[in-house]
Amino acid sequence: MIEVCFSATGRLDFPIHSGVNTAIMITMRWVRAFLFFAFAVIAPFLCAQSAHDPSAFIQPGTVWLDTQGHQIQAHGGGILYHDHLWYWYGEDRRQGLDPDKRYVACYSSQDLIHWTFRGHPLELTDPTNIGRNWVLERPKVFYSPSTRQFVMYFHLDDSEYKVARVGTAISSTPTGPFHYVRSFRPLGLESRDIGQFVDDDGSGYIIFESRPSGGFYIALLSSDRLSVERQVAFLHLALEGGALVHYNGLYTVLGSHLTGWSPNPNVYASAPSLSGPWSEFSPISPDSTDTYGSQSTFLLKVTGNKNTALIFMGDIWKPKELWDARYLWMPLQIHGSKMYLPAPTPWTIDVTTGVVTMK
Ligand code: GAL
């Protein structure tokens, strides 16, 4: 018979009785060594991991790594939810890319926390001979259920932002390759920063800033998403980084003032329908914080079985090192028609329940 007991030192001891053969003794020594290793070395490591796993939290403003350990490059981005996956598209500003091309990066996730790089759905060479330092910014991808195609919109411009057009590209898969279609001015108007919105009935919209009219437009897309059909609203405040959401029976638009790469107090307004009447604009966070150093790019609604979370997605730009620009994603606090962006802190979300937890 073999008894197993703990010694005073906490180690496992196996009193060996006469009659037990050498093979069993050796085996038991190996078992003891293994168990000691498992308890003393692996277990504390695993416990520490589960208690402090930094990758299980979204940490606004820090370097956000993808599942391969590379810094996520999805600036001025937007999210598409398709076939149980979230796709995050944005400007890829990493160092070492071909300076004549512009790159849109795509990441996918099942939990909004861990993102896998899915390559460059669009790698574009100056499509309309704009010239050196041409600009492709704020890519957004729509899915058209009627054509089963994915359509990307982006801001297309020259280095002085005088071209002021949108570009479109199309693909049969969310990860591309997208093929450039054309560039145009939506509703015949100058268009710089663009934002995207899909309503509960599936209609797609872009929001675009138009400097000559001193405001921004919400415009309906055709069902194939390839053209801009008509103006739905004009809001008379010059705003960029526009975002729009439908939450709790209210439409809310959000945007920043026109201060280029520098942050400013982002503002929002709400309305019972897209065509208005729209409320006055209010700051989303205390003015002195300049939106905690960020600029809006998207409002993400996550509908769970217990809660519907609304997430502010913004960019913390670093104009001299755009490749190291950061992200500020934070759950918004909503009270009736009031919306508030709390100070950044690590947080996490359960996408099944929609429940958000602050660290
Ligand atoms: C910001 C805009 C960015 C980029 C930048 C260039 O206002 O939101 O997307 O265009 O200006 O200065």
Side-chain angles (χ1 to χ4, degrees):
M1 194 184 84
I2 300 173
E3 289 170 17
V4 178
C5 63
F6 283 93
S7 73
T9 61
R11 291 174 54 177
L12 287 174
D13 277 341
F14 299 91
I16 307 299
H17 294 264
S18 56
V20 176
N21 67 34
T22 316
I24 291 179
M25 270 174 60
I26 291 170
T27 308
M28 291 315 296
R29 281 207 180 109
W30 276 107
V31 169
R32 186 169 70 177
F34 171 77
L35 288 176
F36 174 78
F37 181 74
F39 279 108
V41 181
I42 299 175
F45 177 73
L46 289 177
C47 291
Q49 284 290 300
S50 59
H52 308 291
D53 179 3
S55 62
F57 286 89
I58 290 174
Q59 309 200 48
T62 62
V63 173
W64 197 343
L65 301 179
D66 67 15
T67 52
Q68 291 173 309
H70 300 123
Q71 188 164 352
I72 293 179
Q73 294 288 332
H75 313 286
I79 303 274
L80 170 75
Y81 185 67
H82 185 78
D83 274 352
H84 311 290
L85 273 186
W86 278 278
Y87 293 91
W88 180 5
Y89 300 90
E91 302 155 25
D92 191 332
R93 303 277 196 171
R94 80 187 66 195
Q95 293 171 297
L97 294 174
D98 179 343
D100 293 332
K101 288 186 177 178
R102 300 294 172 265
Y103 298 79
V104 175
C106 174
Y107 296 81
S108 65
S109 176
Q110 287 180 315
D111 62 8
L112 294 173
I113 299 165
H114 302 90
W115 291 92
T116 302
F117 181 54
R118 303 295 298 271
H120 292 128
L122 185 68
E123 264 189 49
L124 198 61
T125 310
D126 187 356
T128 55
N129 297 318
I130 290 173
R132 246 182 124 243
N133 296 326
W134 68 282
V135 165
L136 185 163
E137 288 176 346
R138 298 188 176 269
K140 307 282 181 289
V141 173
F142 293 87
Y143 175 65
S144 165
S146 63
T147 62
R148 297 192 180 169
Q149 299 285 306
F150 298 83
V151 180
M152 184 186 294
Y153 278 71
F154 51 85
H155 170 198
L156 180 67
D157 227 316
D158 66 357
S159 55
E160 307 210 302
Y161 292 89
K162 292 204 168 121
V163 169
R165 295 166 82 83
V166 293
T168 52
I170 193 163
S171 166
S172 54
T173 69
T175 50
F178 281 73
H179 302 284
Y180 175 75
V181 179
R182 65 178 178 129
S183 86
F184 59 98
R185 283 187 164 173
L187 311 171
L189 299 165
E190 287 189 17
S191 164
R192 291 184 176 80
D193 279 8
I194 57 161
Q196 104 184 89
F197 172 60
V198 178
D199 208 345
D200 305 333
D201 66 0
S203 310
Y205 298 83
I206 59 164
I207 306 139
F208 61 96
E209 183 259 324
S210 200
R211 229 146 277 189
S213 8
F216 69 103
Y217 293 85
I218 301 171
L220 176 70
L221 302 182
S222 54
S223 77
D224 62 10
R225 313 295 202 215
L226 285 167
S227 56
V228 175
E229 235 163 41
R230 67 180 166 85
Q231 174 181 328
V232 173
F234 171 69
L235 284 91
H236 203 178
L237 182 68
L239 285 185
E240 45 188 22
L244 177 57
V245 74
H246 189 216
Y247 184 92
N248 262 356
L250 273 185
Y251 291 87
T252 299
V253 284
L254 167 71
S256 76
H257 303 288
L258 313 189
T259 56
W261 299 116
S262 307
N264 58 59
N266 291 191
V267 290
Y268 73 96
S270 53
S273 95
L274 279 178
S275 53
W278 287 91
S279 70
E280 293 295 306
F281 281 91
S282 311
I284 192 89
S285 54
D287 279 359
S288 59
T289 70
D290 280 334
T291 325
Y292 310 106
S294 73
Q295 182 189 21
S296 54
T297 186
F298 196 82
L299 284 170
L300 176 62
K301 185 164 79 169
V302 181
T303 309
N305 54 26
K306 284 197 186 138
N307 181 50
T308 301
L310 186 54
I311 298 163
F312 169 95
M313 287 172 50
D315 295 283
I316 301 175
W317 297 111
K318 292 190 180 184
K320 294 201 176 111
E321 296 158 333
L322 279 173
W323 52 270
D324 190 32
R326 308 285 170 82
Y327 311 100
L328 191 153
W329 287 23
M330 273 302 286
L332 286 157
Q333 294 172 3
I334 294 151
H335 307 285
S337 63
K338 302 267 173 259
M339 206 182 246
Y340 180 69
L341 176 66
T345 184
W347 62 282
T348 190
I349 185 166
D350 177 336
V351 292
T352 307
T353 61
V355 172
V356 157
T357 311
M358 304 292 165
K359 197 166 181 181

